[in-house]
Amino acid sequence: MNPKQAEADALAVLNGRFVAVGTEAEVMHWQGPHTRIVDAQGKRLLPGFNDAHVHFSDGGASLSSVQLVNVTSLKEFVQRIADYAVHAPKGEWIRNGEWDETKWSPARLPTRQDIDAVTPDNPVAIDRYDGHMLLANSKALALAGITAKTPDPPGGVIVRDAAGQPTGALKDAATELLQKAEPPLSFAQRRRAIDAALHEAAMRGVTSVQDMSLDYGDLAVYSQLKAEDKLMVRVYGAPLIAGVEDQAKLGIGHAFGSASLRIGALKMFADGSLGSRTAYFAQPYTDEPGNRGLLFSDMLPLTKAGERLMRADAANLQVCTHAIGDAAIKTALDLYQAVEKNHGSKDRRWRIEHAQHMAAADFDRMAQLHVIASVQPYQAIDDGRWAEARIGHDRASRTYAFRTFMQHGVRLAFGTDWPVAPLDPILTLYAAVTRATLDGKYPQGWFPEQKLSVQEAIAAYTIGSAFAEFQEHEKGSIEPGKLADMVLLSQDVLTIAPAAIRDTRVLKTFLGGTEIYDSAAASPPARP
Protein backbone atom coordinates (compact mmCIF):
# COMPACT_ATOMS: atom_id res chain seq x y z
CA MET A 1 0.00 0.00 0.00
CA ASN A 2 2.99 2.30 -0.36
CA PRO A 3 2.71 3.89 -3.83
CA LYS A 4 6.46 4.54 -3.85
CA GLN A 5 7.19 0.84 -3.36
CA ALA A 6 4.42 -1.42 -4.60
CA GLU A 7 6.17 -4.72 -3.81
CA ALA A 8 9.05 -5.92 -1.65
CA ASP A 9 10.69 -9.19 -0.67
CA ALA A 10 11.54 -8.58 2.97
CA LEU A 11 11.18 -6.18 5.87
CA ALA A 12 12.70 -5.46 9.24
CA VAL A 13 10.96 -4.42 12.44
CA LEU A 14 12.52 -2.66 15.41
CA ASN A 15 10.67 -1.37 18.48
CA GLY A 16 7.29 -2.03 16.94
CA ARG A 17 7.85 -0.20 13.66
CA PHE A 18 9.08 -1.01 10.19
CA VAL A 19 12.66 0.16 9.76
CA ALA A 20 13.47 -1.35 6.37
CA VAL A 21 11.44 -2.64 3.42
CA GLY A 22 13.12 -3.92 0.26
CA THR A 23 15.14 -6.82 -1.08
CA GLU A 24 16.28 -9.62 1.17
CA ALA A 25 19.87 -8.51 0.82
CA GLU A 26 19.01 -4.96 1.88
CA VAL A 27 16.95 -6.04 4.85
CA MET A 28 19.36 -8.67 6.19
CA HIS A 29 21.78 -5.88 7.14
CA TRP A 30 19.46 -5.34 10.10
CA GLN A 31 20.01 -8.86 11.43
CA GLY A 32 21.55 -9.03 14.89
CA PRO A 33 22.34 -11.85 17.33
CA HIS A 34 18.82 -11.73 18.83
CA THR A 35 16.84 -11.05 15.64
CA ARG A 36 13.91 -13.37 15.03
CA ILE A 37 13.70 -14.27 11.34
CA VAL A 38 10.34 -15.34 9.93
CA ASP A 39 10.36 -17.08 6.57
CA ALA A 40 7.01 -16.36 4.96
CA GLN A 41 7.77 -18.87 2.20
CA GLY A 42 6.66 -16.58 -0.58
CA LYS A 43 3.17 -15.97 0.84
CA ARG A 44 1.41 -12.63 0.52
CA LEU A 45 2.00 -10.22 3.40
CA LEU A 46 -0.33 -7.23 3.74
CA PRO A 47 -0.75 -4.39 6.22
CA GLY A 48 -3.03 -5.39 9.09
CA PHE A 49 -6.68 -4.88 8.29
CA ASN A 50 -8.33 -1.84 9.89
CA ASP A 51 -12.07 -2.30 10.41
CA ALA A 52 -13.51 1.20 10.16
CA HIS A 53 -16.87 0.34 11.74
CA VAL A 54 -17.42 -2.25 14.45
CA HIS A 55 -19.32 -2.72 17.69
CA PHE A 56 -16.50 -4.61 19.32
CA SER A 57 -17.93 -5.56 22.70
CA ASP A 58 -21.26 -6.55 21.15
CA GLY A 59 -19.39 -8.66 18.64
CA GLY A 60 -17.50 -10.44 21.38
CA ALA A 61 -20.70 -11.02 23.37
CA SER A 62 -22.43 -12.42 20.30
CA LEU A 63 -19.86 -15.23 20.09
CA SER A 64 -21.23 -16.82 23.26
CA SER A 65 -24.88 -15.76 22.94
CA VAL A 66 -27.75 -17.60 21.30
CA GLN A 67 -26.79 -17.97 17.62
CA LEU A 68 -29.66 -16.97 15.33
CA VAL A 69 -28.04 -15.32 12.29
CA ASN A 70 -28.02 -18.48 10.17
CA VAL A 71 -31.46 -19.74 11.19
CA THR A 72 -33.59 -20.62 8.15
CA SER A 73 -37.08 -20.97 9.64
CA LEU A 74 -39.26 -19.71 12.46
CA LYS A 75 -39.33 -23.24 13.91
CA GLU A 76 -35.53 -23.36 14.09
CA PHE A 77 -35.50 -19.82 15.53
CA VAL A 78 -37.77 -20.86 18.41
CA GLN A 79 -35.88 -24.12 18.99
CA ARG A 80 -32.50 -22.41 19.30
CA ILE A 81 -33.89 -19.93 21.82
CA ALA A 82 -35.45 -22.81 23.73
CA ASP A 83 -32.17 -24.74 23.80
CA TYR A 84 -30.29 -21.67 25.02
CA ALA A 85 -32.88 -20.74 27.66
CA VAL A 86 -32.71 -24.21 29.25
CA HIS A 87 -29.14 -23.50 30.36
CA ALA A 88 -29.53 -19.78 31.14
CA PRO A 89 -29.71 -18.83 34.84
CA LYS A 90 -33.24 -17.98 35.93
CA GLY A 91 -33.97 -14.28 35.57
CA GLU A 92 -30.93 -13.59 33.35
CA TRP A 93 -31.66 -11.54 30.23
CA ILE A 94 -31.20 -13.32 26.91
CA ARG A 95 -29.63 -10.83 24.49
CA ASN A 96 -27.85 -10.50 21.14
CA GLY A 97 -28.98 -13.22 18.72
CA GLU A 98 -28.66 -11.34 15.39
CA TRP A 99 -31.73 -12.93 13.72
CA ASP A 100 -32.68 -12.30 10.09
CA GLU A 101 -36.22 -13.16 9.06
CA THR A 102 -35.44 -12.65 5.35
CA LYS A 103 -33.74 -16.08 5.44
CA TRP A 104 -36.97 -17.76 6.52
CA SER A 105 -39.79 -19.15 4.41
CA PRO A 106 -42.18 -17.48 4.76
CA ALA A 107 -40.27 -14.35 5.76
CA ARG A 108 -42.21 -12.70 8.58
CA LEU A 109 -41.29 -10.87 11.74
CA PRO A 110 -41.28 -13.08 14.85
CA THR A 111 -43.52 -12.15 17.78
CA ARG A 112 -43.40 -12.48 21.54
CA GLN A 113 -46.03 -15.23 21.32
CA ASP A 114 -43.56 -17.30 19.27
CA ILE A 115 -41.03 -17.40 22.10
CA ASP A 116 -42.98 -16.84 25.34
CA ALA A 117 -43.56 -20.53 26.00
CA VAL A 118 -39.86 -21.42 25.71
CA THR A 119 -38.62 -18.50 27.84
CA PRO A 120 -40.86 -18.51 30.93
CA ASP A 121 -38.06 -17.63 33.36
CA ASN A 122 -35.97 -15.19 31.33
CA PRO A 123 -36.59 -11.74 29.87
CA VAL A 124 -35.64 -11.74 26.19
CA ALA A 125 -34.31 -8.84 24.12
CA ILE A 126 -32.72 -10.35 21.02
CA ASP A 127 -31.42 -8.14 18.24
CA ARG A 128 -32.22 -8.28 14.57
CA TYR A 129 -28.87 -8.59 12.81
CA ASP A 130 -28.91 -4.98 11.54
CA GLY A 131 -29.13 -3.61 15.08
CA HIS A 132 -32.24 -1.55 14.35
CA MET A 133 -34.91 -3.86 15.67
CA LEU A 134 -35.20 -6.30 18.53
CA LEU A 135 -37.70 -8.88 19.68
CA ALA A 136 -38.82 -8.89 23.30
CA ASN A 137 -40.85 -11.55 25.02
CA SER A 138 -43.83 -10.69 27.22
CA LYS A 139 -41.73 -10.83 30.39
CA ALA A 140 -39.33 -8.19 29.06
CA LEU A 141 -42.18 -5.96 27.83
CA ALA A 142 -43.80 -6.14 31.26
CA LEU A 143 -40.55 -5.19 33.02
CA ALA A 144 -40.25 -2.19 30.69
CA GLY A 145 -43.93 -1.23 31.12
CA ILE A 146 -44.60 -1.38 27.37
CA THR A 147 -48.30 -1.89 26.70
CA ALA A 148 -50.89 -1.11 24.05
CA LYS A 149 -51.15 2.37 25.58
CA THR A 150 -47.43 3.13 25.21
CA PRO A 151 -46.99 5.67 22.39
CA ASP A 152 -44.34 5.30 19.72
CA PRO A 153 -41.35 7.41 20.75
CA PRO A 154 -39.95 9.96 18.29
CA GLY A 155 -37.75 8.07 15.84
CA GLY A 156 -39.08 4.66 16.81
CA VAL A 157 -41.92 2.19 16.28
CA ILE A 158 -43.61 -0.30 18.58
CA VAL A 159 -44.87 -2.92 16.14
CA ARG A 160 -48.49 -3.80 16.98
CA ASP A 161 -50.96 -6.47 15.96
CA ALA A 162 -54.43 -5.88 14.55
CA ALA A 163 -55.78 -5.34 18.06
CA GLY A 164 -53.13 -2.70 18.82
CA GLN A 165 -51.15 -4.93 21.18
CA PRO A 166 -47.32 -4.88 21.00
CA THR A 167 -46.00 -7.88 19.08
CA GLY A 168 -42.66 -7.68 20.83
CA ALA A 169 -40.84 -6.18 17.83
CA LEU A 170 -39.38 -2.75 18.60
CA LYS A 171 -37.70 -0.56 15.99
CA ASP A 172 -34.93 2.01 16.49
CA ALA A 173 -35.75 4.51 19.27
CA ALA A 174 -38.45 2.16 20.61
CA THR A 175 -35.68 -0.26 21.62
CA GLU A 176 -34.50 2.32 24.15
CA LEU A 177 -37.78 1.85 26.06
CA LEU A 178 -36.75 -1.73 26.70
CA GLN A 179 -33.08 -1.05 27.30
CA LYS A 180 -34.00 1.12 30.29
CA ALA A 181 -35.30 -2.02 32.00
CA GLU A 182 -32.25 -4.16 31.22
CA PRO A 183 -29.62 -4.44 33.95
CA PRO A 184 -26.34 -2.80 32.96
CA LEU A 185 -23.46 -5.06 31.99
CA SER A 186 -20.87 -5.54 34.71
CA PHE A 187 -17.18 -4.82 34.17
CA ALA A 188 -16.51 -8.57 34.24
CA GLN A 189 -19.14 -9.24 31.57
CA ARG A 190 -17.66 -6.55 29.35
CA ARG A 191 -14.15 -7.88 29.91
CA ARG A 192 -15.18 -11.40 28.88
CA ALA A 193 -16.86 -10.08 25.72
CA ILE A 194 -13.89 -7.94 24.73
CA ASP A 195 -11.40 -10.73 25.46
CA ALA A 196 -13.38 -12.94 23.06
CA ALA A 197 -13.48 -10.15 20.49
CA LEU A 198 -9.69 -9.68 20.71
CA HIS A 199 -9.16 -13.36 19.96
CA GLU A 200 -11.54 -13.19 16.99
CA ALA A 201 -9.81 -10.09 15.61
CA ALA A 202 -6.36 -11.68 15.81
CA MET A 203 -7.59 -14.79 13.99
CA ARG A 204 -9.04 -12.63 11.23
CA GLY A 205 -5.98 -10.44 10.70
CA VAL A 206 -7.73 -7.34 12.10
CA THR A 207 -5.16 -5.17 13.88
CA SER A 208 -7.20 -1.95 14.23
CA VAL A 209 -10.87 -1.28 14.91
CA GLN A 210 -12.96 1.85 15.01
CA ASP A 211 -15.55 1.20 17.69
CA MET A 212 -18.79 2.99 16.85
CA SER A 213 -21.27 3.95 19.60
CA LEU A 214 -18.54 3.18 22.14
CA ASP A 215 -19.88 2.69 25.65
CA TYR A 216 -17.79 4.26 28.41
CA GLY A 217 -17.89 0.93 30.25
CA ASP A 218 -16.07 -0.64 27.32
CA LEU A 219 -13.56 2.21 27.32
CA ALA A 220 -12.71 1.32 30.93
CA VAL A 221 -12.04 -2.28 29.86
CA TYR A 222 -9.82 -1.14 26.99
CA SER A 223 -7.89 1.04 29.40
CA GLN A 224 -7.32 -1.86 31.80
CA LEU A 225 -6.24 -4.15 28.96
CA LYS A 226 -3.79 -1.52 27.75
CA ALA A 227 -2.34 -1.17 31.24
CA GLU A 228 -1.89 -4.97 31.35
CA ASP A 229 -0.31 -4.95 27.87
CA LYS A 230 -3.12 -7.20 26.64
CA LEU A 231 -4.93 -4.87 24.22
CA MET A 232 -4.12 -6.85 21.09
CA VAL A 233 -5.91 -4.51 18.68
CA ARG A 234 -5.66 -0.76 18.17
CA VAL A 235 -8.91 1.00 19.12
CA TYR A 236 -10.37 4.33 18.05
CA GLY A 237 -13.62 4.90 19.92
CA ALA A 238 -16.61 7.01 18.89
CA PRO A 239 -19.16 7.47 21.72
CA LEU A 240 -22.65 8.72 20.91
CA ILE A 241 -23.02 12.39 20.00
CA ALA A 242 -25.55 12.91 22.82
CA GLY A 243 -22.48 12.99 25.08
CA VAL A 244 -20.61 15.56 22.99
CA GLU A 245 -19.81 17.64 26.07
CA ASP A 246 -17.95 14.74 27.69
CA GLN A 247 -15.13 15.10 25.18
CA ALA A 248 -15.64 18.73 24.15
CA LYS A 249 -15.08 20.11 27.64
CA LEU A 250 -11.76 18.25 27.89
CA GLY A 251 -10.40 19.97 24.80
CA ILE A 252 -8.85 16.79 23.46
CA GLY A 253 -9.82 17.05 19.77
CA HIS A 254 -9.94 14.20 17.29
CA ALA A 255 -7.67 11.13 17.50
CA PHE A 256 -6.55 11.84 21.07
CA GLY A 257 -4.52 9.17 22.85
CA SER A 258 -1.89 6.58 22.06
CA ALA A 259 -1.29 4.26 19.14
CA SER A 260 -3.23 1.59 21.06
CA LEU A 261 -6.25 3.50 22.35
CA ARG A 262 -7.71 6.77 21.15
CA ILE A 263 -10.93 8.77 21.31
CA GLY A 264 -11.98 12.10 19.78
CA ALA A 265 -14.81 10.98 17.51
CA LEU A 266 -18.59 10.98 17.90
CA LYS A 267 -21.26 8.71 16.43
CA MET A 268 -24.53 10.25 15.24
CA PHE A 269 -27.54 8.45 13.76
CA ALA A 270 -29.64 9.86 10.94
CA ASP A 271 -31.93 6.88 10.35
CA GLY A 272 -32.38 3.14 10.81
CA SER A 273 -31.86 0.27 8.37
CA LEU A 274 -33.24 -1.05 5.10
CA GLY A 275 -33.93 -4.48 6.60
CA SER A 276 -36.10 -2.99 9.35
CA ARG A 277 -37.68 -0.55 6.86
CA THR A 278 -36.54 2.37 9.01
CA ALA A 279 -33.91 3.73 6.59
CA TYR A 280 -35.18 7.20 5.63
CA PHE A 281 -35.96 7.80 1.95
CA ALA A 282 -37.24 10.67 -0.15
CA GLN A 283 -39.82 8.33 -1.68
CA PRO A 284 -41.74 5.49 0.00
CA TYR A 285 -40.64 1.88 0.06
CA THR A 286 -41.68 0.01 -3.06
CA ASP A 287 -43.22 -2.81 -1.03
CA GLU A 288 -44.69 -0.55 1.68
CA PRO A 289 -46.08 2.55 -0.06
CA GLY A 290 -47.12 4.31 3.13
CA ASN A 291 -43.66 4.19 4.66
CA ARG A 292 -40.59 6.38 3.95
CA GLY A 293 -38.70 5.19 7.01
CA LEU A 294 -37.71 7.24 10.05
CA LEU A 295 -35.37 10.02 10.96
CA PHE A 296 -33.54 8.83 14.05
CA SER A 297 -34.05 10.56 17.39
CA ASP A 298 -30.58 12.17 17.05
CA MET A 299 -32.10 14.24 14.23
CA LEU A 300 -35.17 15.37 16.15
CA PRO A 301 -35.39 18.26 16.04
CA LEU A 302 -32.91 19.13 13.30
CA THR A 303 -32.00 22.36 15.06
CA LYS A 304 -30.71 20.35 18.03
CA ALA A 305 -28.75 18.04 15.72
CA GLY A 306 -27.18 21.10 14.12
CA GLU A 307 -26.24 22.55 17.48
CA ARG A 308 -24.52 19.32 18.51
CA LEU A 309 -22.57 19.28 15.27
CA MET A 310 -21.52 22.90 15.74
CA ARG A 311 -20.34 22.10 19.26
CA ALA A 312 -18.43 19.01 18.10
CA ASP A 313 -16.77 20.94 15.31
CA ALA A 314 -15.81 23.82 17.59
CA ALA A 315 -14.12 21.25 19.83
CA ASN A 316 -12.31 19.73 16.80
CA LEU A 317 -14.05 16.38 17.29
CA GLN A 318 -14.67 14.08 14.34
CA VAL A 319 -18.29 13.15 13.53
CA CYS A 320 -19.31 9.80 12.04
CA THR A 321 -22.97 9.80 10.96
CA HIS A 322 -24.94 6.63 10.32
CA ALA A 323 -27.06 7.33 7.24
CA ILE A 324 -28.52 4.65 4.99
CA GLY A 325 -31.53 6.01 3.07
CA ASP A 326 -31.08 8.74 0.45
CA ALA A 327 -33.04 11.30 2.48
CA ALA A 328 -31.03 10.53 5.61
CA ILE A 329 -27.75 10.96 3.70
CA LYS A 330 -28.99 14.26 2.26
CA THR A 331 -30.00 15.43 5.75
CA ALA A 332 -26.56 14.58 7.15
CA LEU A 333 -24.82 16.37 4.28
CA ASP A 334 -27.05 19.43 4.77
CA LEU A 335 -26.00 19.56 8.42
CA TYR A 336 -22.32 19.13 7.55
CA GLN A 337 -22.57 21.86 4.94
CA ALA A 338 -24.17 24.26 7.41
CA VAL A 339 -21.28 23.73 9.84
CA GLU A 340 -18.71 24.40 7.12
CA LYS A 341 -20.57 27.55 6.10
CA ASN A 342 -20.49 28.82 9.68
CA HIS A 343 -17.02 27.66 10.74
CA GLY A 344 -15.10 27.68 7.47
CA SER A 345 -13.07 24.95 5.80
CA LYS A 346 -10.64 22.66 7.65
CA ASP A 347 -9.57 19.03 7.71
CA ARG A 348 -12.61 17.54 9.47
CA ARG A 349 -12.76 14.10 7.85
CA TRP A 350 -16.48 13.90 8.38
CA ARG A 351 -17.85 10.47 7.67
CA ILE A 352 -21.08 8.92 6.49
CA GLU A 353 -21.30 5.46 7.98
CA HIS A 354 -22.86 2.97 5.53
CA ALA A 355 -23.83 5.53 2.84
CA GLN A 356 -25.89 2.77 1.31
CA HIS A 357 -28.60 4.27 -0.90
CA MET A 358 -27.37 7.45 -2.49
CA ALA A 359 -29.29 10.11 -4.40
CA ALA A 360 -27.45 10.77 -7.66
CA ALA A 361 -26.76 14.40 -6.77
CA ASP A 362 -25.09 13.57 -3.47
CA PHE A 363 -21.99 11.80 -4.79
CA ASP A 364 -20.60 15.18 -5.85
CA ARG A 365 -21.69 16.77 -2.57
CA MET A 366 -19.81 14.17 -0.56
CA ALA A 367 -16.69 14.84 -2.61
CA GLN A 368 -17.03 18.63 -2.32
CA LEU A 369 -17.42 18.40 1.46
CA HIS A 370 -14.57 15.85 1.69
CA VAL A 371 -16.87 13.37 3.43
CA ILE A 372 -15.54 9.83 3.76
CA ALA A 373 -17.77 6.91 2.79
CA SER A 374 -17.32 4.35 5.57
CA VAL A 375 -18.86 1.28 3.93
CA GLN A 376 -19.34 -2.43 4.55
CA PRO A 377 -19.13 -4.52 1.36
CA TYR A 378 -20.33 -7.78 2.92
CA GLN A 379 -23.70 -6.17 3.51
CA ALA A 380 -24.01 -5.58 -0.24
CA ILE A 381 -23.93 -9.31 -1.00
CA ASP A 382 -26.30 -9.91 1.90
CA ASP A 383 -28.85 -7.14 1.17
CA GLY A 384 -28.63 -7.88 -2.55
CA ARG A 385 -30.85 -10.91 -1.94
CA TRP A 386 -33.90 -8.73 -1.30
CA ALA A 387 -33.08 -5.00 -1.57
CA GLU A 388 -34.69 -4.41 -4.99
CA ALA A 389 -38.02 -5.70 -3.71
CA ARG A 390 -37.92 -2.97 -1.05
CA ILE A 391 -36.72 0.03 -3.03
CA GLY A 392 -36.90 -0.88 -6.73
CA HIS A 393 -34.22 -1.23 -9.40
CA ASP A 394 -33.38 2.45 -9.85
CA ARG A 395 -32.59 3.19 -6.22
CA ALA A 396 -30.84 -0.17 -5.88
CA SER A 397 -28.50 0.79 -8.72
CA ARG A 398 -26.98 3.43 -6.40
CA THR A 399 -26.66 1.01 -3.48
CA TYR A 400 -23.20 0.23 -2.09
CA ALA A 401 -21.91 2.24 -5.05
CA PHE A 402 -18.20 1.80 -4.40
CA ARG A 403 -17.03 2.43 -7.96
CA THR A 404 -19.21 5.53 -8.29
CA PHE A 405 -17.79 6.91 -5.05
CA MET A 406 -14.25 6.50 -6.37
CA GLN A 407 -15.13 8.05 -9.72
CA HIS A 408 -16.40 11.14 -7.87
CA GLY A 409 -13.28 11.36 -5.72
CA VAL A 410 -14.92 10.20 -2.47
CA ARG A 411 -12.51 8.35 -0.16
CA LEU A 412 -13.53 4.86 0.93
CA ALA A 413 -12.94 3.19 4.30
CA PHE A 414 -13.91 -0.47 4.68
CA GLY A 415 -15.40 -2.22 7.68
CA THR A 416 -17.93 -4.85 8.66
CA ASP A 417 -20.30 -3.39 11.28
CA TRP A 418 -19.60 -6.55 13.29
CA PRO A 419 -21.70 -8.25 14.68
CA VAL A 420 -24.08 -7.14 11.90
CA ALA A 421 -21.69 -8.90 9.50
CA PRO A 422 -18.77 -11.27 10.19
CA LEU A 423 -15.50 -9.74 11.40
CA ASP A 424 -13.71 -11.29 8.43
CA PRO A 425 -11.72 -9.10 6.02
CA ILE A 426 -11.42 -11.96 3.55
CA LEU A 427 -15.19 -12.06 3.10
CA THR A 428 -15.23 -8.28 2.81
CA LEU A 429 -12.62 -8.34 0.04
CA TYR A 430 -14.54 -11.12 -1.70
CA ALA A 431 -17.75 -9.09 -1.51
CA ALA A 432 -16.18 -5.89 -2.85
CA VAL A 433 -14.48 -7.66 -5.75
CA THR A 434 -17.25 -10.07 -6.82
CA ARG A 435 -20.55 -8.61 -5.51
CA ALA A 436 -21.83 -12.18 -5.75
CA THR A 437 -24.88 -12.31 -3.45
CA LEU A 438 -25.13 -14.92 -0.72
CA ASP A 439 -28.13 -16.61 -2.36
CA GLY A 440 -26.15 -17.40 -5.52
CA LYS A 441 -28.51 -15.47 -7.80
CA TYR A 442 -25.87 -13.00 -9.02
CA PRO A 443 -22.67 -15.01 -9.59
CA GLN A 444 -21.35 -12.28 -11.92
CA GLY A 445 -22.15 -9.61 -9.38
CA TRP A 446 -25.14 -7.59 -8.21
CA PHE A 447 -24.77 -4.35 -10.16
CA PRO A 448 -21.34 -5.55 -11.31
CA GLU A 449 -20.36 -2.08 -12.55
CA GLN A 450 -19.74 -1.24 -8.89
CA LYS A 451 -17.05 -3.90 -8.38
CA LEU A 452 -13.60 -2.87 -7.18
CA SER A 453 -10.24 -4.41 -8.01
CA VAL A 454 -8.52 -6.40 -5.27
CA GLN A 455 -5.89 -3.66 -4.98
CA GLU A 456 -8.57 -0.99 -4.50
CA ALA A 457 -10.39 -3.10 -1.93
CA ILE A 458 -7.23 -3.73 0.10
CA ALA A 459 -6.42 -0.03 -0.02
CA ALA A 460 -9.86 0.88 1.35
CA TYR A 461 -9.36 -1.66 4.17
CA THR A 462 -5.89 -0.45 5.16
CA ILE A 463 -4.70 3.02 4.19
CA GLY A 464 -8.29 4.16 3.55
CA SER A 465 -9.44 3.17 7.02
CA ALA A 466 -6.30 4.71 8.51
CA PHE A 467 -7.10 8.01 6.79
CA ALA A 468 -10.63 7.85 8.16
CA GLU A 469 -9.20 7.97 11.69
CA PHE A 470 -6.41 10.53 11.05
CA GLN A 471 -3.74 7.80 11.20
CA GLU A 472 -2.51 7.46 7.61
CA HIS A 473 0.98 8.53 8.71
CA GLU A 474 1.07 5.89 11.43
CA LYS A 475 -0.35 2.78 9.78
CA GLY A 476 -2.13 1.39 6.75
CA SER A 477 0.92 0.57 4.62
CA ILE A 478 4.15 -1.36 4.93
CA GLU A 479 6.84 1.34 4.86
CA PRO A 480 9.64 2.49 7.16
CA GLY A 481 8.50 4.46 10.18
CA LYS A 482 5.01 3.03 10.39
CA LEU A 483 3.58 0.66 12.98
CA ALA A 484 4.48 -2.94 12.10
CA ASP A 485 0.94 -4.30 11.88
CA MET A 486 0.66 -7.02 9.24
CA VAL A 487 -1.13 -10.17 8.18
CA LEU A 488 0.22 -13.20 6.31
CA LEU A 489 -2.28 -14.92 3.99
CA SER A 490 -2.47 -18.48 2.70
CA GLN A 491 -3.06 -17.32 -0.89
CA ASP A 492 -2.00 -14.31 -2.93
CA VAL A 493 -5.32 -12.49 -3.17
CA LEU A 494 -3.81 -10.15 -5.76
CA THR A 495 -3.30 -12.93 -8.30
CA ILE A 496 -5.87 -15.67 -7.64
CA ALA A 497 -9.32 -15.74 -9.24
CA PRO A 498 -11.73 -13.40 -7.40
CA ALA A 499 -14.09 -16.26 -6.54
CA ALA A 500 -11.21 -18.04 -4.76
CA ILE A 501 -10.55 -15.14 -2.41
CA ARG A 502 -13.11 -16.41 0.10
CA ASP A 503 -11.04 -19.61 0.55
CA THR A 504 -8.02 -17.63 1.74
CA ARG A 505 -6.98 -18.05 5.37
CA VAL A 506 -4.97 -15.93 7.78
CA LEU A 507 -1.72 -17.71 8.64
CA LYS A 508 -0.18 -15.15 10.99
CA THR A 509 -1.13 -11.78 12.46
CA PHE A 510 1.43 -9.30 13.82
CA LEU A 511 0.75 -6.21 15.94
CA GLY A 512 3.72 -3.87 16.27
CA GLY A 513 5.93 -6.69 15.05
CA THR A 514 4.69 -9.08 17.75
CA GLU A 515 3.03 -12.24 16.52
CA ILE A 516 -0.44 -12.38 18.06
CA TYR A 517 -1.89 -15.22 15.98
CA ASP A 518 -0.40 -18.30 14.34
CA SER A 519 -2.78 -20.63 12.53
CA ALA A 520 -0.37 -23.53 13.03
CA ALA A 521 -0.87 -23.26 16.78
CA ALA A 522 -4.62 -22.66 16.77
CA SER A 523 -7.80 -24.22 15.52
CA PRO A 524 -8.86 -22.62 12.22
CA PRO A 525 -11.65 -20.07 12.69
CA ALA A 526 -15.08 -20.93 11.39
CA ARG A 527 -16.29 -19.08 8.33
CA PRO A 528 -20.01 -18.44 7.77
Side-chain angles (χ1 to χ4, degrees):
M1 291 299 109
N2 177 7
K4 298 177 182 178
Q5 187 180 34
E7 299 280 347
D9 299 321
L11 57 86
V13 176
L14 185 65
N15 297 327
R17 292 182 182 266
F18 300 116
V19 292
V21 181
T23 67
E24 187 172 338
E26 291 169 336
V27 169
M28 290 306 287
H29 289 301
W30 287 86
Q31 182 181 355
H34 303 293
T35 301
R36 179 192 175 199
I37 299 175
V38 179
D39 184 352
Q41 300 181 348
K43 301 292 187 183
R44 173 63 65 180
L45 189 76
L46 296 177
F49 292 107
N50 184 339
D51 195 312
H53 187 121
V54 298
H55 306 282
F56 204 61
S57 177
D58 288 345
S62 72
L63 297 172
S64 59
S65 302
V66 57
Q67 302 296 306
L68 301 172
V69 71
N70 59 350
V71 163
T72 58
S73 68
L74 177 61
K75 181 179 179 181
E76 185 183 4
F77 172 82
V78 174
Q79 187 59 52
R80 288 206 190 177
I81 294 171
D83 293 343
Y84 186 88
V86 166
H87 302 287
K90 186 175 181 179
E92 182 178 277
W93 283 68
I94 298 175
R95 315 183 208 224
N96 304 113
E98 323 305 333
W99 50 273
D100 178 6
E101 84 289 351
T102 68
K103 296 178 180 177
W104 308 350
S105 184
R108 74 158 176 86
L109 290 180
T111 68
R112 58 187 170 88
Q113 289 89 348
D114 293 324
I115 61 172
D116 277 349
V118 300
T119 56
D121 300 320
N122 300 88
V124 174
I126 47 175
D127 296 320
R128 190 177 189 274
Y129 81 107
D130 59 6
H132 291 271
M133 190 189 317
L134 61 76
L135 178 69
N137 66 354
S138 295
K139 182 177 285 291
L141 291 177
L143 288 171
I146 298 173
T147 69
K149 296 181 180 179
T150 305
D152 288 350
V157 172
I158 300 170
V159 180
R160 306 170 196 267
D161 61 21
Q165 295 294 327
T167 69
L170 305 173
K171 297 185 179 185
D172 284 311
T175 65
E176 297 170 12
L177 302 176
L178 195 75
Q179 288 162 358
K180 292 175 182 177
E182 294 182 57
L185 293 173
S186 67
F187 185 91
Q189 287 174 311
R190 293 180 187 275
R191 174 68 186 254
R192 284 195 297 271
I194 290 173
D195 281 340
L198 290 171
H199 180 64
E200 181 75 6
M203 286 197 304
R204 302 300 185 184
V206 176
T207 55
S208 290
V209 295
Q210 298 171 39
D211 197 345
M212 296 290 123
S213 309
L214 173 71
D215 189 284
Y216 295 140
D218 292 341
L219 184 60
V221 174
Y222 292 142
S223 181
Q224 184 186 72
L225 284 163
K226 183 177 181 298
E228 296 173 1
D229 200 25
K230 294 179 180 178
L231 186 58
M232 293 295 101
V233 73
R234 304 189 192 281
V235 180
Y236 184 37
L240 295 172
I241 198 167
V244 58
E245 286 299 329
D246 296 340
Q247 295 184 76
K249 64 187 178 184
L250 296 175
I252 59 176
H254 60 249
F256 171 83
S258 69
S260 298
L261 180 58
R262 292 174 300 104
I263 54 175
L266 294 162
K267 172 73 177 296
M268 182 167 72
F269 284 88
D271 65 347
S273 74
L274 186 69
S276 295
R277 291 187 179 85
T278 53
Y280 186 54
F281 285 94
Q283 300 298 323
Y285 284 80
T286 302
D287 62 348
E288 204 169 279
N291 179 24
R292 289 177 52 206
L294 295 170
L295 271 180
F296 200 78
S297 53
D298 283 353
M299 297 285 114
L300 303 173
L302 282 174
T303 52
K304 185 175 183 180
E307 289 168 0
R308 283 175 171 169
L309 273 178
M310 293 285 189
R311 178 65 175 125
D313 189 62
N316 203 29
L317 296 168
Q318 186 182 23
V319 178
C320 314
T321 302
H322 165 118
I324 287 180
D326 54 20
I329 295 167
K330 180 182 182 302
T331 300
L333 293 177
D334 288 346
L335 289 169
Y336 285 169
Q337 193 164 11
V339 172
E340 184 166 294
K341 183 179 179 180
N342 276 272
H343 291 176
S345 297
K346 66 177 181 178
D347 185 13
R348 295 179 168 89
R349 302 195 193 180
W350 277 318
R351 298 163 48 154
I352 297 290
E353 305 300 314
H354 313 302
Q356 283 181 17
H357 311 289
M358 296 285 294
D362 283 334
F363 289 103
D364 277 334
R365 290 187 71 204
M366 281 189 69
Q368 291 161 4
L369 291 167
H370 307 290
V371 176
I372 296 162
S374 173
V375 294
Q376 300 77 39
Y378 183 88
Q379 294 181 28
I381 65 172
D382 194 355
D383 290 8
R385 297 176 293 125
W386 44 262
E388 288 186 67
R390 301 239 168 136
I391 59 174
H393 182 82
D394 177 62
R395 283 186 286 187
S397 71
R398 295 184 298 279
T399 290
Y400 300 100
F402 310 138
R403 174 63 58 197
T404 306
F405 278 128
M406 292 190 69
Q407 289 170 341
H408 284 77
V410 176
R411 288 181 180 265
L412 294 178
F414 273 6
T416 60
D417 203 10
W418 187 52
V420 173
L423 186 75
D424 190 341
I426 299 303
L427 290 180
T428 297
L429 295 181
Y430 168 82
V433 172
T434 69
R435 294 183 70 98
T437 54
L438 299 178
D439 58 8
K441 291 182 179 178
Y442 297 93
Q444 303 306 313
W446 183 55
F447 295 101
E449 65 275 12
Q450 296 295 344
K451 293 179 185 179
L452 297 184
S453 70
V454 182
Q455 187 84 15
E456 290 167 336
I458 294 171
Y461 224 142
T462 54
I463 197 69
S465 293
F467 182 87
E469 56 165 334
F470 292 90
Q471 293 294 289
E472 73 275 18
H473 299 299
E474 286 287 292
K475 56 189 176 184
S477 59
I478 296 177
E479 57 183 299
K482 287 194 173 182
L483 295 164
D485 303 342
M486 45 193 163
V487 56
L488 185 66
L489 302 180
S490 64
Q491 300 187 92
D492 187 354
V493 292
L494 288 167
T495 60
I496 61 176
I501 290 174
R502 69 180 306 162
D503 299 322
T504 304
R505 298 284 173 175
V506 170
L507 298 180
K508 293 179 182 289
T509 305
F510 298 85
L511 185 77
T514 298
E515 185 179 293
I516 59 172
Y517 173 73
D518 179 3
S519 63
S523 300
R527 175 157 294 150

